[in-house]
Amino acid sequence: MTNEPLWPPHRMWFGGDYNPEQWPREVWADDLRLMREAGVTVVTVGVFSWARLEPREGEFDFAWLDDVLDGLHSAGIGVDLATATASPPPWMALHHPDILPVTRDGVRLSPGSRQHYSPSSATYRRFAERLVRAMVERYAKHPAIVAWHINNEYGCHVSHSYDDESAAAFRSWLELKYGDIDTLNDAWGTAFWSQWYGSFDEILPPRAAPTFGNPGHLLDFDRFSSDALRELFRAEAAILRAATPEIPITTNFMGFFKGVDYWSWADDVDFVSDDSYPDPADPFSPIFAAASRDLMRSLGGGAPWVLMEQAPSAVNWRERNAPKPAGMNRLHSLQAVARGADGVMYFQWRQSRAGAEKFHSGMVPHFGEHSRIFRETAAIGAQLGGLDDLIGSTLHADVAIVFDWDAWRLLEQQAVPTALNYREIVLGWYRSLWERGILVDFVHPHGDLSRYSVVIAPAMVVADTQTQEALEAFVDGGGRLVMTASSAIVDEKAHIHLGGYLGELRNTLGLGIEEIAPLAGPDLAATGQAPVPATAITGEITGEARLWREFVHPSTATVLSTFDDPIVGGWPAITVNHRGDGRAWYVATMLGEEATDALVDLVLADAGIPTTRERGSTIEVVRRGNRVFRLDHATGEAAIEIVDEVGDDTA
Ligand code: GLA
């Protein structure tokens, strides 16, 4: 082993999940041959190997894995070694059924698929820790290992469990947070509906109940559930860090995944990694994928990350699974590199012959190496080899979008003014910026805003004092802030900001809100298929206003546009408040595309940020280091140009 650090890598990671235990040994040699041919540098091994590594309780068998790791090492391929704790073996559920998770409706889930453990199960955790100790004892010094890959997609299938052990863990979490029960009663507003608790012992998880649950209870259970998974991650990481501090640790995130607040996890990983499966049949996919890449980069504070999983072609878990047309695999891979990834990996290396994912594409498909999938994938491997000099380089964004898991959780609770989709609202603003060639960072409401000229905070329904102060300071420092409807309605306890919503942001925005007036169509509840209810706005910016309206009272803000409809006609729809060199725009609705674009153009021009892309162009242009990536999502063509300037910037 050399003494060079393992992260950042010296070669771009290129490879995928490698599951040799699914295949007879004769195939392993062929795997190595094809991996070399495809330019594979790293594979992730052992993600679902627990049943093979510990076939009976306490009985470990590493011999086969020794051979796999030795073979890979002799082929010059690094190993991202999984801790294998993602899917407990059948014996565990049989002899220790207390590990099994329970749904909100009280159904205890059975083994037979994967991830069948309650995040709060002490038994599961004990077994997981024992396996990790055995793994690290065996492989701490293995020269093939380039990273530890803890578990797999925490929370993907089970992000919340409502079992009794989780109930007890939730109570402890609450006690730690609130200290005494009166503080909790106040935070949850339990004076309503006779929900007052006499002690922490009376609290249960928010299991299926006659009607709407208590918003504070639901929010805290979401926060607790994310933390419970993080505790599992941390328990494994502590064992690994103690034994092999030089080996970097990651766990694969899932992009915009509601169940786990990745902001709170990001500091615990040595590098961020992500699994990304944009639907090839969805024309919005390039934008959605770009946003996921930007989120991953942002979670790591701008540091390079790894695209840990993507599909070489079709997946098998949608109702209809479209293949990737020629070029798309390459485009998605290069898009990740352009937006800060130092590695591109797949699920999985060899397409399975049996099991639940046998129809999911693999780098080596059922047909074998003489296939379009293998050829295209190998070509990407070759191309990535030529981008090694980009490793470690970062990007700089002038524009940030506030992204907050608490806002997501609260906005999509029941018993709210109208059903909204947080991710869709955020991506609506992202789309407009993407189409203008503007690189975007995502930022936590408590993150460092001073790095940006423009900050957009869409539907940020919750704002605590720190957030209010940070946004005000941003504007007072000369920043351009755009806030949209359904923002800062509540504080961190989900209590209403009385007297016009918005809290202190009333000063920043120069207005208050008298009443929320959602738009509704008669069929929405019955079919869920009704068109999005919309009305119009008129003035400096015209266009469609969707889903949500407010009766806004400007104090110091200037009105740019007003509503044009029978209920809120004439009331402000878009305003701007000047504070020194800074400006704060407020949008009292969810704008349609045309109006969003008009406002984005206005704000970018005001901030002096040039747009680099022609309207209607299908070519995504991103600069990283000394490369300009031009990715044509209409034709599938990609071009990478070397430019003179080397630095932290984008096109
Ligand atoms: C996830 C999992 C993989 C596999 C893929 C299929 O990313 O981590 O094990 O199931 O989905 O798309």
Side-chain angles (χ1 to χ4, degrees), residues 266-551:
D267 285 345
D268 289 328
V269 294
D270 292 322
F271 62 93
V272 167
S273 62
D274 189 41
D275 296 353
S276 172
Y277 291 92
D279 185 354
D282 181 353
F284 195 76
S285 276
I287 305 176
F288 175 63
S292 311
R293 321 281 191 234
D294 289 350
L295 177 65
M296 290 304 126
R297 191 187 60 250
S298 305
L299 289 173
W305 55 282
V306 166
L307 175 57
M308 188 61 89
E309 287 183 25
Q310 60 173 340
S313 187
V315 299
N316 72 325
W317 41 261
R318 294 195 171 95
E319 197 175 333
R320 302 184 205 290
N321 300 289
K324 288 189 173 166
M328 185 182 276
N329 184 359
R330 190 152 79 106
L331 233 56
H332 285 186
S333 303
L334 292 176
Q335 183 195 54
V337 175
R339 293 180 182 272
D342 279 355
V344 170
M345 312 274 285
Y346 294 86
F347 177 85
Q348 60 177 327
W349 165 250
R350 190 178 281 276
Q351 186 173 13
S352 297
R353 186 173 49 179
E357 297 193 295
K358 62 180 183 286
F359 292 115
H360 190 294
S361 58
M363 297 164 79
V364 182
H366 292 151
F367 191 74
E369 65 193 278
H370 302 293
S371 54
R372 101 184 161 102
I373 290 182
F374 184 74
R375 273 193 301 273
E376 278 189 32
T377 309
I380 295 165
Q383 189 164 18
L384 283 191
L387 296 172
D388 285 344
D389 59 299
L390 282 185
I391 289 171
S393 61
T394 55
L395 298 93
H396 171 76
D398 288 320
V399 179
I401 295 180
V402 174
F403 193 82
D404 180 22
W405 263 262
D406 269 355
W408 196 351
R409 293 157 172 162
L410 282 169
L411 199 83
E412 296 183 5
Q413 282 192 352
Q414 288 182 303
V416 288
T418 198
L420 294 175
N421 180 323
Y422 180 63
R423 199 176 68 176
E424 223 169 71
I425 293 168
V426 168
L427 291 181
W429 290 92
Y430 184 90
R431 172 206 58 77
S432 185
L433 292 158
W434 183 87
E435 285 179 353
R436 281 154 182 72
I438 304 293
L439 185 78
V440 171
D441 277 355
F442 290 94
V443 64
H444 184 270
H446 297 168
D448 177 11
L449 305 181
S450 66
R451 298 152 59 186
Y452 306 104
S453 314
V454 173
V455 169
I456 301 179
M460 192 192 66
V461 64
V462 49
D464 60 10
T465 307
Q466 190 180 340
T467 300
Q468 295 164 42
E469 287 173 0
L471 291 175
E472 180 166 291
F474 172 71
V475 175
D476 287 348
R480 269 78 181 148
L481 172 69
V482 180
M483 290 193 66
T484 80
S486 192
S487 280
I489 294 178
V490 297
D491 65 14
E492 69 282 9
K493 294 186 288 192
H495 292 198
I496 294 292
H497 286 300
L498 294 175
Y501 305 124
L502 299 171
E504 294 306 314
L505 290 165
R506 284 197 296 273
N507 298 328
T508 317
L509 296 162
L511 54 88
I513 296 158
E514 179 183 324
E515 185 185 338
I516 297 163
L519 284 139
D523 294 330
L524 192 61
T527 66
Q529 301 295 319
V532 177
T535 183
I537 60 169
T538 165
E540 192 166 322
I541 288 172
T542 58
E544 204 180 45
R546 295 176 181 165
L547 291 160
W548 187 283
R549 291 162 304 196
E550 289 162 355
F551 288 91

Side-chain angles (χ1 to χ4, degrees), residues 220-279:
D220 271 338
F221 193 64
D222 285 340
R223 292 165 170 161
F224 156 79
S225 298
S226 176
D227 285 357
L229 287 167
R230 191 182 58 184
E231 286 313 310
L232 281 182
F233 170 83
R234 284 180 166 175
E236 291 196 25
I239 295 168
L240 298 172
R241 284 221 165 87
T244 57
E246 73 288 0
I247 300 180
I249 292 175
T250 194
T251 185
N252 41 346
F253 292 166
M254 292 171 281
F256 292 91
F257 177 70
K258 191 179 172 189
V260 174
D261 179 349
Y262 289 137
W263 288 119
S264 71
W265 286 56
D267 285 345
D268 289 328
V269 294
D270 292 322
F271 62 93
V272 167
S273 62
D274 189 41
D275 296 353
S276 172
Y277 291 92
D279 185 354

Side-chain angles (χ1 to χ4, degrees), residues 589-647:
T589 183
M590 307 298 166
L591 295 176
E593 287 192 8
E594 192 193 334
T596 302
D597 289 347
L599 182 57
V600 164
D601 282 335
L602 190 152
V603 173
L604 292 176
D606 190 63
I609 299 174
T611 59
T612 58
R613 192 153 142 191
E614 274 171 39
R615 289 308 301 278
S617 161
T618 54
I619 304 180
E620 175 180 351
V621 182
V622 187
R623 196 184 112 199
R624 180 179 177 196
N626 68 346
R627 303 291 207 292
V628 174
F629 294 76
R630 287 178 209 286
L631 312 171
D632 190 338
H633 294 285
T635 65
E637 282 161 27
I640 305 175
E641 194 188 316
I642 298 189
V643 290
D644 286 341
E645 315 97 291
V646 183

Side-chain angles (χ1 to χ4, degrees), residues 16-36:
D17 277 27
Y18 179 39
N19 299 307
E21 67 270 34
Q22 295 178 15
W23 298 94
R25 280 181 179 248
E26 306 84 81
V27 178
W28 297 5
D30 201 44
D31 285 333
L32 297 181
R33 176 182 70 81
L34 290 174
M35 282 180 193
R36 274 195 299 252

